[in-house]
């Protein structure tokens, strides 16, 4: 329910889920889950890496020791999507207002 992207006017934005290839994912999506997401009009975009290539060993080690690990870097791929406006929403975020002004600024 947190990702109800209703706008007061205009077409609804496309919803995109960034995910690593199955061989890199700790918990790869099942074919059934992929199908359900597509039925829900979620665009699935596989990205080539979870941890950026060439990350320093000390940063990689520190990330292994923290709660989130290196998987937090996957959100960087959102900036490479071919859209005028990208709004990144994490699972702990809640939309509480109209998103129209954000999308209108990208026009």
């Amino acid at each position: 329910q947190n990702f109800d992207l209703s706008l007061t006017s205009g077409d609804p934005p496309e919803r995109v889920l960034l995910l690593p290839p199955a061989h890199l994912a700790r918990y790869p999506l099942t074919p059934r889950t992929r199908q359900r997401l597509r039925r829900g009009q979620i665009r699935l975009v596989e990205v080539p890496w979870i941890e950026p290539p060439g990350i320093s060993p000390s940063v990689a080690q520190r990330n292994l020791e923290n709660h989130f690990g290196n998987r937090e870097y996957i959100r960087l791929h959102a900036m490479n999507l071919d859209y005028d406006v990208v709004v990144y929403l994490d699972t702990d975020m809640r939309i509480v207002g109209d998103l129209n002004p954000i999308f209108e600024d990208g026009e």
Side-chain angles (χ1 to χ4, degrees):
Q1 297 297 337
N2 286 354
F3 293 123
D4 177 14
L5 299 179
S6 299
L7 301 174
T8 56
S9 64
D11 294 328
E14 185 173 19
R15 294 178 294 170
V16 177
L17 175 62
L18 299 174
L19 61 151
H23 73 280
L24 293 178
R26 182 181 292 174
Y27 305 106
L29 295 180
T30 65
R32 181 172 182 246
T33 299
R34 286 174 177 268
Q35 181 181 36
R36 292 178 70 193
L37 288 166
R38 288 187 182 113
R39 258 194 319 237
Q41 299 180 336
I42 308 288
R43 179 178 165 213
L44 304 179
V45 175
E46 282 194 358
V47 296
W49 49 262
I50 297 172
E51 178 181 289
I55 194 168
S56 78
S58 63
V59 170
Q61 182 59 40
R62 185 179 65 230
N63 290 338
L64 289 174
E65 296 166 0
N66 73 32
H67 174 71
F68 297 107
N70 292 331
R71 68 178 186 250
E72 291 302 303
Y73 292 111
I74 201 164
R75 67 183 70 192
L76 296 174
H77 291 286
M79 301 307 127
N80 290 324
L81 295 172
D82 191 24
Y83 294 100
D84 293 331
V85 175
V86 173
V87 177
Y88 175 82
L89 300 173
D90 210 336
T91 57
D92 60 350
M93 296 177 182
R94 184 177 180 103
I95 299 168
V96 295
D98 181 12
L99 293 178
N100 265 336
I102 296 170
F103 292 100
E104 289 168 359
D105 286 345
E107 295 178 358

